[in-house]
Amino acid sequence: MISASSMDESEPYSSEDEDVSLTGSDFEFQLTTSKRKLNSTQGAASPKRVRHPSVSGSSQSQTPEESRGLGPHGAQTEGRATACHLYEAVRSGRSALLTVIDDWLEEYRRDREAGILELINFVVQCSGCKGVVTREMFSRLQNADIISHLTTEFNEDSVSYPLVSGGSQWRHFREGVCEFVSLLVRGCRNSLLYDDFLFSSFIALLTGLADSQVRAFRHTSTLITMRLMSSIVSVAAEVTAQALMTRRRCELEKNKPAEHRAIDRIEELEGSYRELLEHQEDLRSLMNGIFKGVFIHRYRDRVPEIRAVCMEEMGVWLRENPASFLNDEHLKYVGWMLHDKQAAVRLQCVLTLQKLYVEKDFISRLELFTSRFKERILCMILDKDSDVAVETVKLLLLIKQQTDEGLSEEECAAVYPLVFATHRGLACAAGRFLYHTLCSVLDGRSDKRSVSVLRLLAHFFIESEYHEHAAYLVDSLWDVAGVELKDWELMTSLLLQESGVEDELESALIDIMMCAVRQASEATPPSSRVQRKNLTAREKRLQAQERRRITNHFIPQLPQLLAKFSADVGKVSCLLRAPLYFQLEVYGTSGRLEKCLDLLLSQVCDIMLKHREESVLEACVRVLCALCSDCYSFCGRAERAVSQLLDSTVEKFSSNLAEILQGSADEDDLYGAASSLNILAVFSSARDLTGRNLFEFCFQLLKMGIETREIHEKLMVPALKCSVFHLFWKGTKITQHSPARDKAFVCLCDVLLVFGKLCEGDGSPLQRFSPDDSLKAEMASFIIDYVFSEPDEDLPGEEECEEMKMAALLQRRNQLAGYCKLIIHGVLELRAATDVLRYYNKFYRDFGDIIKETLSKSKMISSVESARTVCLCLQQLFSGLEQDRCDEELTEIRLLAKKLAMNFSINLRLIRKPLLALHQDGICFASQGLDEGDLMNLSFLEILSEFSFKLLQPERKQLSLSLRRVFASVINSEFVRIYERSLTSGSKETPAAAAETPSRKRRRTHSLTSSLETPAVTSHTRRVDMDDDFTDGSVLRKSVIHSRPQSSPFSQSIQSHLSTLSLGHEDASEDEEEPEIEDYDDEDSELGITLPSTHGSASFLEDLFE
């Protein structure tokens, strides 16, 4: 039987034109069926090659490696040796196929039956079948019987065959097969192509294979047949050209005078012409047989690759022999397949049409096709596959350029909006379409082409409905209209000319110009369009050159543009973006440019005083802040201008505020105060103005507004902004990455580690210190806010940025290690570890080794409490979700649970109690509110199921009974069923099953370190071997402490516990073998597990206790 994996339906499509009638076409079916059996005289006349009898073995799906063996009767299959030679030559790609084909032709001329057998077996091997068609089978069986024999013996477990195999070995196999077929036809074009045996028999077998139920046979034979057809079509075109040339020469010879006419020459030409006509008929018969026998059925095959092959080769026929194929009768198949459900087939159809519309001579033959299928092509510009849409837009451009009627204005208008698409390839194709459409309007009527193009672009942008997306329009046109878009001199001259242009056109032109400036200086498309991550060296060099050209041009021109458009909000805010793309250091290179700087500063300050619109003020502040950067030599000049602006603004606001507070302010005072506050509010968002004491003034203003209930929106809103930004800047000074803050936390951890719960009973007041709840909460908040936080990405300089990030990460690791050691040594409860465990998955790369070691040590303190802490962490995360929780949030918690579950021991007997306690706590949490009908916590069972795979059978039964008892009212709930399935799937029969698990040496991580340096707590502090404290059979650390001598002096006690600031390695247990669960993947095994200390030097603690 043949499995579904290797068989499929061959004709799932239904069509009204299923019974295609080609009566009256050039290809009337004239292929005569030649008899397969040869008479004895023919067999004796032709020389035979010495061959051993070959019997086809069991046909199996072929693997990439070839195997030779015995047939079912024990005979060697040497009959496929030469076929193997053909196959290996194609597969390896290292042999010269032309030589291989010449050798095969020589052997075929000696024994044509053996030769055709080699060719047939070559096809069988290319299909991935190891079966062999023997001489006996070929002589006695019909094609249908041979194919049936191969089909029934085909390996039903195989779904792969050479044409679809991956890897470098099969990458060029398809091209090799196509080249082989093409060279074979070229080698036979003068003789064997016209005999009644070779190609007739070969095509007959290929036609049968193309109708097979086995996909490998059908795909391979269809590819070979379609390429065979393409090669025959090329030969037919040559024969047709030769026949026309021969007939012309014969007519010329006949038209000569009788005395100069050569009768023998005429007879020779007439004989050649008759022979060429016979060849045409033979080729027409072969092509007609392939077209009706294979193409008509396979162009609608179930497999999209087969349909794509048919469309690809159809394009070759249409181009190679347009006289016979380029007609509506054959073009309709390409048009029909434009509706195919698979993108690969639609794409191949569009590519085929592109190659047809490129040829001007074909346009007249495509008129009816264009009118019939143009509507479908227009719909495909919105194809869900972006590649199809891109190629369709290119096809429409060809139709518009090549055809007389082209596309109507409405049809072109459907393409234009695609320049704003987020897919850059589609947008660029639409941009090229738009550009050529705009240029076609000019038609050489204007001498100033660039001016006309810019005007047309501006008009198009105005008429479009996407006025906020000029950057997308510029990016779409960048490759085709880059010359016009980078003509800064032309654009500024148009804007500065006295006559000027329309106001709306000026706005559009300024917007386009600024977007072009950004594109040229940054060399990147808009943010939402996909871009390459890195620029090449050449692109970076061109970018620097373009940015230098922009700077040199706009430095003297920008003040003039600002002066002309200073009253227009939209235009001036857009123009103020230009300095952000300058090479600003150029301002300090000469005195002339410094004058341009002063002029620019003056213009910007005047604009700030004129406008109250927030967009204009923000643009001005960005420019001023960029000019005040410390990296420029002229920053002092810019700082003075900003200080003068702020001084005058604050002074004006103070005078107006006094009038307002006294209640004697008029409208002018209110307007002046609001204008000043707007400027100060925008500056406060970018610069620290806390030194100017604006908060007190704004607070008085806000207080008065609340008390009098006379709230002036234009006055109160900027006052509120100033107050808020003042508080932000104050808070930043306190909470910014301060060495004092970080040092304080580290020292606090070390002090608590030394004095917290150490040597209880000594009577010293210092030793009885324990952190209260408020301190614990502050420390937990510190860990969440400053350790588990994303690093700042806005750091200048790549190298400096990396160094600063690494230093900050080291500091955060030290802080986390100090907090975790407080948990391990009993200063903080194990419950405090929940604030750390919740970030195990999110920050695994930075802190995974520390959190994993903390979890490991907590198990040694109390395995049950450690498991309950893990469950509590997941419960807290689950409770923090909103009521309309989404699947993504639950998935994140499940991933964390899965990662935490992998940290439980692989010895299932040792974790029975901890896992049972974890599941019991989880079931109790999930059942909360169940009596009141609240099912909010029920989905927690799905998270809890991640820990079920390590349960043994007794615990599984116990939990199943508890589950049915607690959730009896909702036993059919989806989450209850999920959890119940996790308890029943993959269970162990007895605890002994875990002991019977094959043991093997585990990978050890004691020699591996984290990618970050793990600092020591102190370089001089004496280390104590901790193996006795953390053995496999250890109990709570408190009991270990009590086992130590209690009569030691205070100084010895302090010194002994200083050594515990660094966690020791478990060297004693590293040589032990533990049973391991099969397929266990220790994803953390390559990370170091040593906790970093919280102190880089011992001097602090040594000085403290000296």
Side-chain angles (χ1 to χ4, degrees):
M1 296 296 294
I2 301 174
S3 68
S5 61
S6 61
M7 293 176 56
D8 48 39
E9 300 178 13
S10 62
E11 293 184 16
Y13 284 83
S14 61
S15 173
E16 298 177 359
D17 197 75
E18 184 172 355
D19 298 328
V20 181
S21 174
L22 297 181
T23 305
S25 69
D26 293 336
F27 297 134
E28 293 286 349
F29 184 77
Q30 299 176 9
L31 181 61
T32 57
T33 347
S34 60
K35 293 184 179 180
R36 302 299 308 275
K37 298 180 180 180
L38 302 176
N39 52 40
S40 58
T41 57
Q42 288 177 330
S46 59
K48 302 284 186 179
R49 290 193 305 167
V50 179
R51 296 170 65 94
H52 295 283
S54 58
V55 183
S56 63
S58 59
S59 301
Q60 298 179 358
S61 178
Q62 185 170 356
T63 59
E65 298 297 331
E66 299 296 326
S67 61
R68 297 178 177 85
L70 298 176
H73 303 291
Q76 292 185 355
T77 57
E78 294 182 4
R80 66 183 293 181
T82 49
C84 234
H85 171 64
L86 296 178
Y87 175 74
E88 284 296 330
V90 172
R91 185 183 65 83
S92 64
R94 292 188 293 269
S95 303
L97 291 181
L98 192 58
T99 304
V100 173
I101 290 173
D102 290 340
D103 295 340
W104 177 84
L105 288 174
E106 291 180 5
E107 295 186 11
Y108 175 81
R109 291 185 178 95
R110 290 197 298 267
D111 186 350
R112 65 177 186 174
E113 185 176 342
I116 190 65
L117 275 176
E118 294 168 10
L119 205 56
I120 292 173
N121 284 321
F122 166 74
V123 176
V124 173
Q125 285 183 287
C126 290
S127 302
C129 181
K130 291 183 178 180
V132 179
V133 180
T134 62
R135 184 186 294 269
E136 182 180 4
M137 294 169 58
F138 184 74
S139 301
R140 295 184 178 180
L141 299 179
Q142 296 297 321
N143 287 335
D145 299 328
I146 295 174
I147 296 170
S148 176
H149 176 74
L150 294 175
T151 300
T152 54
E153 294 186 0
F154 207 92
N155 186 5
E156 63 183 31
D157 296 329
S158 173
V159 295
S160 179
Y161 50 96
L163 280 183
V164 297
S165 297
S168 57
Q169 184 180 9
W170 306 100
R171 186 176 304 162
H172 304 292
F173 181 77
R174 183 181 187 274
E175 290 77 7
V177 171
C178 294
E179 183 183 1
F180 175 84
V181 174
S182 300
L183 292 176
L184 176 65
V185 174
R186 299 296 295 177
C188 301
R189 69 182 183 277
N190 294 325
S191 56
L192 296 179
L193 190 58
Y194 311 106
D195 70 0
D196 293 333
F197 179 72
L198 175 59
F199 282 93
S200 299
S201 303
F202 189 44
I203 291 173
L205 183 68
L206 288 174
T207 303
L209 286 173
D211 199 35
S212 171
Q213 292 179 319
V214 181
R215 172 176 174 171
F217 281 150
R218 201 166 68 254
H219 188 184
T220 306
S221 58
T222 301
L223 174 65
I224 294 175
T225 309
M226 293 296 98
R227 180 48 61 99
L228 190 67
M229 175 77 163
S230 299
S231 302
I232 293 175
V233 167
S234 299
V235 174
E238 295 178 2
V239 171
T240 301
Q242 292 175 4
L244 292 175
M245 180 63 67
T246 304
R247 187 179 64 179
R248 188 178 301 117
R249 293 170 62 187
C250 183
E251 292 176 354
L252 289 175
E253 191 69 28
K254 288 181 179 180
N255 292 331
K256 290 181 180 180
E259 60 272 12
H260 297 99
R261 189 181 305 159
I263 303 300
D264 297 338
R265 177 63 175 166
I266 294 175
E267 293 179 354
E268 180 183 356
L269 290 174
E270 288 178 346
S272 299
Y273 181 67
R274 285 191 297 272
E275 183 180 3
L276 289 173
L277 291 180
E278 293 176 0
H279 289 175
Q280 280 184 326
E281 290 299 323
D282 293 339
L283 295 176
R284 186 178 292 108
S285 178
L286 292 175
M287 290 187 293
N288 201 23
I290 294 175
F291 188 83
K292 283 192 172 183
V294 179
F295 178 84
I296 289 297
H297 302 286
R298 296 283 71 79
Y299 87 93
R300 50 182 180 168
D301 193 277
R302 176 181 179 180
V303 181
E305 290 85 353
I306 296 179
R307 303 199 299 272
V309 166
C310 292
M311 291 300 103
E312 181 181 3
E313 298 303 324
M314 170 63 83
V316 177
W317 310 341
L318 296 173
R319 296 192 307 273
E320 292 291 333
N321 197 346
S324 301
F325 284 93
L326 192 56
N327 50 57
D328 300 326
E329 193 167 349
H330 295 90
L331 284 171
K332 65 183 179 183
Y333 297 106
V334 181
W336 288 344
M337 299 312 289
L338 290 174
H339 298 268
D340 195 274
K341 294 181 179 180
Q342 294 296 323
V345 182
R346 298 195 302 273
L347 178 62
Q348 192 58 60
C349 293
V350 174
L351 294 176
T352 296
L353 292 175
Q354 285 181 6
K355 296 174 183 177
L356 294 178
Y357 279 98
V358 166
E359 301 294 335
K360 194 69 176 176
D361 298 336
F362 295 168
I363 300 301
S364 59
R365 297 172 178 263
L366 293 168
E367 289 180 356
L368 183 58
F369 175 87
T370 305
S371 62
R372 182 176 178 184
F373 292 101
K374 184 167 62 174
E375 182 178 355
R376 170 58 186 163
I377 296 173
L378 285 169
C379 293
M380 292 175 67
I381 63 176
L382 300 178
D383 196 281
K384 63 180 181 180
D385 186 86
S386 56
D387 293 335
V388 176
V390 170
E391 298 302 328
T392 303
V393 174
K394 295 180 181 178
L395 174 61
L396 288 174
L397 179 58
L398 288 173
I399 293 175
K400 180 176 177 58
Q401 291 177 333
Q402 298 286 67
T403 60
D404 295 333
E405 296 181 359
L407 300 176
S408 64
E409 188 61 33
E410 292 77 10
E411 293 168 342
C412 292
V415 182
Y416 296 154
L418 296 179
V419 297
F420 300 101
T422 54
H423 188 275
R424 191 168 191 273
L426 179 59
C428 290
R432 188 176 297 275
F433 183 92
L434 172 64
Y435 179 77
H436 285 288
T437 303
L438 297 179
C439 292
S440 64
V441 176
L442 302 178
D443 289 335
R445 294 179 301 177
S446 176
D447 297 333
K448 300 179 180 179
R449 179 184 176 86
S450 297
V451 176
S452 302
V453 170
L454 288 174
R455 285 180 175 272
L456 290 173
L457 276 179
H459 280 294
F460 168 78
F461 182 59
I462 293 170
E463 294 173 1
S464 68
E465 299 178 358
Y466 306 94
H467 295 164
E468 298 179 357
H469 301 289
Y472 289 84
L473 175 63
V474 170
D475 182 56
S476 302
L477 294 164
W478 195 251
D479 296 335
V480 65
V483 176
E484 291 85 355
L485 292 174
K486 290 186 287 187
D487 195 344
W488 319 120
E489 293 82 1
L490 177 60
M491 285 190 275
T492 52
S493 64
L494 286 174
L495 293 172
L496 291 175
Q497 64 185 2
E498 294 182 0
S499 58
V501 293
E502 300 85 352
D503 181 72
E504 195 175 15
L505 198 61
E506 281 181 344
S507 299
L509 190 58
I510 290 174
D511 203 355
I512 292 173
M513 181 177 68
M514 287 299 103
C515 291
V517 167
R518 187 210 64 80
Q519 182 96 0
S521 61
E522 295 182 353
T524 55
S527 57
S528 61
R529 285 186 177 170
V530 180
Q531 62 185 64
R532 295 194 305 269
K533 292 184 178 180
N534 298 318
L535 298 176
T536 63
R538 180 177 179 276
E539 289 173 338
K540 290 181 179 179
R541 185 172 64 255
L542 294 176
Q543 176 192 3
Q545 293 175 357
E546 198 59 47
R547 193 166 188 175
R548 192 179 307 112
R549 195 168 75 89
I550 290 172
T551 303
N552 295 333
H553 172 74
F554 278 98
I555 280 181
Q557 298 292 334
L558 184 59
Q560 302 178 40
L561 292 170
L562 292 176
K564 180 176 180 179
F565 301 108
S566 60
D568 192 296
V569 174
K571 296 174 184 176
V572 74
S573 59
C574 189
L575 288 170
L576 285 170
R577 301 204 306 260
L580 303 179
Y581 308 114
F582 290 175
Q583 292 179 340
L584 294 176
E585 61 273 10
V586 174
Y587 275 115
T589 57
S590 67
R592 182 180 66 85
L593 296 178
E594 288 183 355
K595 293 180 180 179
C596 294
L597 174 63
D598 293 337
L599 190 56
L600 176 63
L601 290 171
S602 175
Q603 289 284 352
V604 173
C605 293
D606 290 343
I607 290 172
M608 289 199 74
L609 296 175
K610 288 180 181 178
H611 291 274
R612 292 180 57 183
E613 288 77 10
E614 190 172 356
S615 60
V616 179
L617 297 180
E618 288 179 354
C620 292
V621 170
R622 289 194 190 97
V623 174
L624 293 176
C625 290
L627 295 173
C628 292
S629 177
D630 295 337
C631 61
Y632 303 125
S633 59
F634 55 83
C635 62
R637 188 188 298 264
E639 283 287 355
R640 284 194 299 272
V642 173
S643 297
Q644 292 174 4
L645 175 63
L646 290 174
D647 291 340
S648 61
T649 304
V650 171
E651 182 179 357
K652 182 180 179 182
F653 171 68
S654 301
S655 61
N656 292 330
L657 180 63
E659 299 292 335
I660 294 173
L661 294 177
Q662 292 175 5
S664 59
D666 55 10
E667 291 295 330
D668 293 337
D669 293 331
L670 292 175
Y671 180 83
S675 300
S676 301
L677 268 180
N678 279 326
I679 296 174
L680 295 174
V682 175
F683 262 113
S684 297
S685 65
R687 292 170 65 94
D688 183 8
L689 300 183
T690 54
R692 296 183 178 271
N693 298 322
L694 296 176
F695 180 77
E696 303 236 349
F697 299 138
C698 295
F699 182 75
Q700 293 177 7
L701 188 60
L702 293 171
K703 183 179 179 182
M704 185 196 71
I706 295 174
E707 291 175 350
T708 60
R709 296 184 179 275
E710 295 180 359
I711 299 176
H712 300 280
E713 181 180 350
K714 295 182 180 179
L715 189 61
M716 294 303 174
V717 171
L720 186 60
K721 288 182 179 179
C722 282
S723 302
V724 170
F725 285 123
H726 179 90
L727 295 176
F728 283 167
W729 284 109
K730 282 291 187 182
T732 303
K733 289 181 179 180
I734 298 173
T735 61
Q736 65 184 356
H737 298 289
S738 169
R741 182 202 65 199
D742 296 335
K743 196 71 174 179
F745 183 83
V746 172
C747 293
L748 177 61
C749 290
D750 285 342
V751 169
L752 290 176
L753 189 62
V754 173
F755 292 103
K757 290 189 175 182
L758 291 182
C759 298
E760 293 182 359
D762 280 356
S764 172
L766 291 175
Q767 293 174 335
R768 289 196 297 271
F769 175 77
S770 177
D772 56 11
D773 292 339
S774 62
L775 181 57
K776 293 176 183 177
E778 289 291 336
M779 296 183 71
S781 299
F782 181 92
I783 289 295
I784 295 173
D785 294 339
Y786 300 113
V787 175
F788 295 113
S789 60
E790 297 294 340
D792 188 8
E793 300 290 344
D794 300 329
L795 295 175
E798 294 183 2
E799 296 182 359
E800 297 179 4
C801 176
E802 291 299 326
E803 293 177 0
M804 295 175 68
K805 286 181 180 179
M806 185 62 66
L809 181 57
L810 285 171
Q811 183 66 39
R812 291 158 61 205
R813 286 172 59 85
N814 286 337
Q815 294 165 356
L816 179 61
Y819 186 79
C820 290
K821 281 184 285 189
L822 295 179
I823 300 173
I824 293 173
H825 293 289
V827 179
L828 301 175
E829 300 88 347
L830 281 180
R831 293 169 58 92
T834 58
D835 294 324
V836 177
L837 295 179
R838 64 172 58 192
Y839 297 104
Y840 183 41
N841 191 38
K842 183 177 181 180
F843 289 89
Y844 180 78
R845 181 177 179 181
D846 296 336
F847 309 115
D849 54 343
I850 301 176
I851 301 176
K852 185 178 180 182
E853 181 71 0
T854 303
L855 191 59
S856 175
K857 298 303 181 185
S858 68
K859 297 173 189 174
M860 297 177 185
I861 297 173
S862 174
S863 58
V864 174
E865 289 300 322
S866 175
R868 285 179 170 171
T869 302
V870 170
C871 186
L872 179 61
C873 170
L874 298 174
Q875 292 173 13
Q876 291 175 352
L877 287 174
F878 184 84
S879 300
L881 300 179
E882 299 178 356
Q883 292 186 356
D884 53 344
R885 55 179 66 102
C886 61
D887 294 339
E888 294 181 0
E889 295 173 334
L890 286 174
T891 302
E892 291 180 2
I893 301 178
R894 286 196 62 181
L895 291 176
L896 175 61
K898 185 179 295 184
K899 208 171 189 68
L900 291 172
M902 298 304 296
N903 282 278
F904 283 86
S905 174
I906 59 174
N907 191 337
L908 304 185
R909 293 172 297 176
L910 296 180
I911 60 173
R912 295 179 68 178
K913 290 184 178 180
L915 272 182
L916 181 60
L918 183 146
H919 280 270
Q920 289 174 342
D921 287 358
I923 291 175
C924 182
F925 174 77
S927 63
Q928 290 178 4
L930 200 60
D931 297 337
E932 292 79 11
D934 185 6
L935 305 180
M936 290 297 297
N937 292 350
L938 199 60
S939 57
F940 184 78
L941 291 175
E942 185 178 2
I943 299 172
L944 192 61
S945 64
E946 297 293 342
F947 297 90
S948 300
F949 72 100
K950 288 193 174 183
L951 288 169
L952 294 178
Q953 187 66 17
E955 285 73 24
R956 291 174 183 263
K957 292 181 179 178
Q958 181 179 348
L959 290 172
S960 295
L961 293 175
S962 177
L963 181 72
R964 292 185 173 274
R965 184 182 67 255
V966 175
F967 298 98
S969 59
V970 290
I971 195 64
N972 293 324
S973 172
E974 175 187 1
F975 302 107
V976 177
R977 291 200 304 269
I978 290 175
Y979 182 63
E980 189 175 14
R981 282 198 301 270
S982 71
L983 295 176
T984 57
S985 61
S987 61
K988 307 289 183 184
E989 291 300 329
T990 63
E996 295 173 0
T997 304
S999 301
R1000 56 186 175 90
K1001 197 73 174 179
R1002 297 181 64 196
R1003 291 186 299 170
R1004 297 297 177 185
T1005 59
H1006 66 277
S1007 62
L1008 300 175
T1009 58
S1010 174
S1011 59
L1012 292 171
E1013 179 184 359
T1014 304
V1017 174
T1018 120
S1019 57
H1020 304 292
T1021 302
R1022 180 170 54 88
R1023 294 177 58 101
V1024 176
D1025 191 0
M1026 302 292 293
D1027 292 342
D1028 295 336
D1029 292 344
F1030 298 105
T1031 58
D1032 289 341
S1034 63
V1035 293
L1036 287 174
R1037 185 180 178 280
K1038 184 182 295 185
S1039 64
V1040 177
I1041 295 175
H1042 288 167
S1043 68
R1044 296 180 180 173
Q1046 300 292 324
S1047 59
S1048 59
F1050 173 71
S1051 61
Q1052 293 180 0
S1053 175
I1054 294 297
Q1055 183 63 28
S1056 66
H1057 289 289
L1058 278 175
S1059 62
T1060 65
L1061 291 175
S1062 287
L1063 298 179
H1065 299 282
E1066 302 178 62
D1067 298 328
S1069 63
E1070 288 181 354
D1071 295 330
E1072 298 179 2
E1073 292 187 6
E1074 299 180 6
E1076 189 172 17
I1077 301 174
E1078 292 183 3
D1079 300 331
Y1080 173 73
D1081 184 15
D1082 188 0
E1083 59 183 339
D1084 305 332
S1085 61
E1086 296 184 1
L1087 290 176
I1089 58 173
T1090 303
L1091 277 175
S1093 71
T1094 61
H1095 217 35
S1097 171
S1099 59
F1100 178 79
L1101 293 176
E1102 288 180 347
D1103 293 344
L1104 180 62
F1105 299 110
E1106 185 176 1

